[in-house]
Amino acid sequence: MGRGVRNMAIKEAHIVLARCPQCNRHLYGIRVEKQPDHWALTWAFPIDESKAKSEGYDETVLNGTFHPSPNYNGCPFCGTKTFLHCPRCSKITCYHGESYATCAWCGLSGETKAQNNMSLKGGSM
């Protein structure tokens, strides 16, 4: 009797880069996985800039809505599971509920507001 191949759906997943302003702007990667109606944040990990660049993570561009999955571990430096999307550079920074914040990538400062759809860019370093 023969053996069959298990039908496993291949999931679309990417790495986006983020910075933590509470930890001297340390860089980390976030694995995001495509769901039917959003991108799910599934895992975050520290990464150095040269490794991120060699893997091409700085070239990632994704559009849509982004939500943490139930098991998402959050920032590996400060632990937050939420982030700010910068309207100037389209990159993400850890968020801790402040009403006024500064992007850890480009330095833009301003009032924060809820946002649904966004375009995230990997981040040139």
Side-chain angles (χ1 to χ4, degrees):
M1 183 161 232
R3 295 181 64 108
V5 176
R6 215 166 135 191
N7 183 11
M8 297 181 70
I10 297 174
K11 297 185 179 197
E12 181 181 354
H14 300 276
I15 303 297
V16 294
L17 298 175
R19 288 200 183 270
C20 181
Q22 288 195 344
C23 301
N24 203 22
R25 296 191 212 168
H26 284 330
L27 184 69
Y28 65 100
I30 302 172
R31 182 185 181 275
V32 294
E33 188 175 289
K34 184 68 176 151
Q35 301 297 313
D37 61 348
H38 70 280
W39 289 96
L41 287 68
T42 60
W43 177 56
F45 56 95
I47 190 167
D48 65 53
E49 292 188 17
S50 61
K51 178 70 172 171
K53 190 164 187 64
S54 72
E55 293 291 336
Y57 298 155
D58 59 326
E59 312 255 336
T60 303
V61 177
L62 298 175
N63 296 295
T65 57
F66 297 80
H67 302 287
S69 65
N71 295 323
Y72 176 58
N73 61 325
C75 172
F77 304 109
C78 72
T80 189
K81 295 182 180 187
T82 56
F83 61 87
L84 289 173
H85 169 257
C86 179
R88 179 193 287 162
C89 68
S90 293
K91 298 171 190 163
I92 57 177
T93 299
C94 291
Y95 177 63
H96 299 94
E98 56 269 38
S99 58
Y100 191 87
T102 301
C103 174
W105 293 87
C106 72
L108 179 68
S109 294
E111 289 184 34
T112 60
K113 65 178 183 172
Q115 188 174 355
N116 289 329
N117 252 351
M118 60 189 82
S119 175
L120 298 183
K121 292 185 181 173
S124 24
M125 292 168 273

